Amino acid sequence: MVLDLNTGATLVQDRIIDLSNEGLKPGTNTWMSTCQEIRLAMEEFGCFEGIYSKVSVELHNQFFGRTEELFDLPTEIKMKNTSTKPYFDYFGQYSFLPLYESLGIDNPTTLESTQSFTNLMWSFGNDRFWVALEECGSFVAVYDKLSVDFRKKVFDALEELFDLPVETKMKNVNPKPAHGYMGKISVLPLHEGMGIEYPTNIEECENFTKLMWPQGNDRFCEIAHTYSNIVAELQQLVMRLLFESYGIEKHYENHKESTTYLLRLLKYSKSQTDRTNVAFKGHTDKSLVSILHSNHVKGLELRTKDGEWLQFEPSPTSFVVIAGDAVMAWSNERIPSCYHRVNMEGEKVRYALGMFAFLNGMIQTPEELIDDEHPLQYKPFDHQGLLQFYQSSTDPGKGDRNIMKVYCGV
Ligand SMILES: O=C(O)CCC(=O)C(=O)O
Ligand SMILES: [Fe+2]
């Protein structure tokens, strides 16, 4: 059956050629007849549909799964796929072809090319990020899922929130340590913070919003919920890549299921003097990891393992991923928790958002991370128990000590 291609007909039986036939060996009849079929199809239609089972269903599914993830990467990362050759690079975001996007790997049969493409795209799957995390307990993730417009709405919403009367803000109570309103206490006069627990759930955002604006504020609720889900996705991506880099991806789904979040909305007032003011003193977070994002005002400083302070340069697409004490213990001290602080100088108000990830249930170091070089350092521990323990400790230097050793050290 041959159909006229000019009529626009699509499936033509004659153009399906089975190339996965076991008997397809030079010199055989099958070989000879397949030669004929290919020649006919090529001469007549210039194309054919080949059946080829060497790409297993599993490989097919894995590859398409990964491809989806690839195209979900931020545009600025995909744009790193450049080439001097036309059509070998990233092509997309054109107004005249709004539905189309493509990426190119030159020389894809060499492992070197596919590896360098992968490193370019998943730069935080790239070893240097894990080196940064293992060396300093933090890294900066470039993540462009907040549009310019949405990001402006986020920071406007923070301003609106903190402009509410103190009595209203104080309604944000939570029995868990550092989960509710904390305002301008004497030791931290520039700092104010509020918390939304489980902010990826719309109901929790609604409850918080109702508490702050009894007359309603749908816009705030929507912004807090959307922001939380975007950053939760980033946190999950980071953890998944971390699990893969340790070869323990089989534990990832369970881990993800037990992750919960606390969103803290933060304001740092301008300092009253010319001196640099400590707006949040040095500490490690008690979270698993924390993801910090701020407006354009500098202030966050991270301490390296050599004791040097690095000042974080805010940008609309930069998020600081900070390892907390819980991931330090979980990783059997492969990852140190990051000691950080906020210093304010100058005239500007700093707004920031901290997304803190916690785990439900007992946290236990995976067996795979225990060996002769890394004998087990911490007993299984309860995350909320850690917060309670930290809060009730009367040790004045507790912020500078490895509280984990005291709480659950082996
Ligand atoms: O404001 C920041 O960027 C950091 C806040 C912080 O370290 C915290 O809330 O634990
Ligand atoms: Fe912190």
Side-chain angles (χ1 to χ4, degrees):
M1 174 186 44
V2 176
L3 298 184
D4 181 359
L5 285 182
N6 298 320
T7 63
T10 47
L11 185 75
V12 185
Q13 210 61 42
D14 299 13
R15 282 194 284 157
I16 299 179
I17 302 179
D18 187 357
L19 296 170
S20 42
N21 190 331
E22 285 288 317
L24 188 59
K25 303 239 162 63
T28 60
N29 285 344
T30 316
W31 183 267
M32 300 301 281
S33 60
T34 310
C35 289
Q36 284 299 319
E37 279 181 78
I38 287 196
R39 186 178 142 197
L40 275 176
M42 293 299 264
E43 288 185 353
E44 190 138 354
F45 312 116
C47 67
F48 66 88
E49 179 178 336
I51 296 180
Y52 194 60
S53 56
K54 293 233 172 123
V55 176
S56 65
V57 175
E58 200 188 356
L59 177 63
H60 169 100
N61 290 343
Q62 275 176 352
F63 197 33
F64 276 96
R66 283 297 179 147
T67 306
E68 198 173 327
E69 215 175 273
L70 176 65
F71 281 102
D72 279 348
L73 286 169
T75 306
E76 70 184 53
I77 292 186
K78 291 183 280 194
M79 284 173 72
K80 291 199 278 177
N81 177 219
T82 55
S83 173
T84 48
K85 303 179 192 169
Y87 309 114
F88 277 59
D89 51 358
Y90 175 64
F91 190 97
Q93 320 297 331
Y94 288 105
S95 53
F96 56 89
L97 262 185
L99 303 181
Y100 179 86
E101 255 187 301
S102 66
L103 290 144
I105 309 178
D106 197 2
N107 260 324
T109 53
T110 68
L111 190 59
E112 216 184 357
S113 300
T114 52
Q115 225 148 33
S116 85
F117 176 81
T118 308
N119 287 346
L120 194 67
M121 292 298 106
W122 282 277
S123 48
F124 41 91
N126 195 323
D127 284 348
R128 74 197 166 89
F129 280 94
W130 306 130
V131 171
L133 199 59
E134 290 196 341
E135 289 262 302
C136 323
S138 66
F139 65 85
V140 177
V142 175
Y143 196 62
D144 79 349
K145 295 262 161 107
L146 302 184
S147 67
V148 176
D149 189 41
F150 180 68
R151 188 168 177 274
K152 182 174 179 320
K153 286 188 187 155
V154 169
F155 286 105
D156 287 349
L158 282 188
E159 199 173 329
E160 188 185 348
L161 175 69
F162 282 103
D163 282 349
L164 289 170
V166 179
E167 312 80 76
T168 309
K169 291 186 275 193
M170 283 172 67
K171 289 199 272 174
N172 176 221
V173 286
N174 189 319
K176 295 184 187 169
H179 277 51
Y181 177 67
M182 222 170 93
K184 302 191 179 172
I185 53 175
S186 58
V187 286
L188 292 176
L190 302 181
H191 174 89
E192 247 187 304
M194 294 207 241
I196 309 180
E197 199 178 9
Y198 314 124
T200 53
N201 294 351
I202 188 74
E203 296 81 24
E204 298 296 333
C205 293
E206 280 166 1
N207 291 341
F208 177 85
T209 307
K210 237 179 261 156
L211 201 61
M212 294 298 112
W213 291 277
Q215 73 283 15
N217 186 343
D218 289 350
R219 197 166 30 93
F220 180 91
C221 180
E222 163 73 24
I223 291 168
H225 181 245
T226 305
Y227 178 86
S228 300
N229 279 285
I230 291 173
V231 182
E233 229 175 75
L234 171 61
Q235 188 271 343
Q236 287 160 18
L237 176 62
V238 168
M239 291 314 286
R240 188 171 143 197
L241 291 166
L242 185 64
F243 271 59
E244 280 195 24
S245 87
Y246 285 135
I248 52 168
E249 51 274 28
K250 66 170 192 272
H251 300 311
Y252 174 70
E253 280 305 318
N254 271 345
H255 169 92
K256 180 177 150 189
E257 288 307 308
S258 37
T259 305
T260 65
Y261 299 99
L262 165 71
L263 178 69
R264 285 199 63 79
L265 311 137
L266 308 165
K267 176 181 178 178
Y268 299 86
S269 304
K270 46 188 172 226
S271 57
Q272 303 300 323
T273 64
D274 295 340
R275 284 180 295 116
T276 301
N277 285 268
V278 178
F280 204 120
K281 72 187 200 47
H283 64 283
T284 54
D285 288 351
K286 305 293 160 268
S287 59
L288 186 71
V289 294
S290 315
I291 299 190
L292 303 172
H293 185 63
S294 77
N295 69 351
H296 59 285
V297 181
K298 282 192 241 178
L300 177 64
E301 298 179 348
L302 311 161
R303 193 173 72 183
T304 67
K305 75 174 193 312
D306 304 322
E308 198 190 332
W309 285 100
L310 302 176
Q311 194 173 53
F312 167 64
E313 289 282 339
S315 97
T317 52
S318 293
F319 293 77
V320 187
V321 180
I322 282 185
D325 288 341
V327 89
M328 188 261 294
W330 171 88
S331 71
N332 211 6
E333 291 189 353
R334 281 174 163 78
I335 301 173
S337 42
C338 174
Y339 194 79
H340 56 286
R341 67 183 180 197
V342 178
N343 268 341
M344 291 292 291
E345 25 182 322
E347 283 291 279
K348 303 208 176 85
V349 178
R350 178 171 180 270
Y351 289 99
L353 296 135
M355 183 75 154
F356 299 89
F358 295 95
L359 287 179
N360 270 331
M362 296 304 279
I363 306 183
Q364 193 167 349
T365 302
E367 265 172 38
E368 294 85 342
L369 301 185
I370 308 167
D371 56 31
D372 292 344
E373 225 181 294
H374 304 90
L376 183 67
Q377 300 294 320
Y378 300 94
K379 291 179 267 193
F381 64 97
D382 174 61
H383 210 161
Q384 288 304 325
L386 167 67
L387 299 195
Q388 300 292 351
F389 180 79
Y390 182 75
Q391 192 186 41
S392 58
S393 162
T394 50
D395 177 353
K398 64 182 178 182
D400 294 320
R401 260 189 247 316
N402 180 350
I403 190 87
M404 297 307 293
K405 277 273 182 259
V406 191
Y407 180 56
C408 59
V410 167

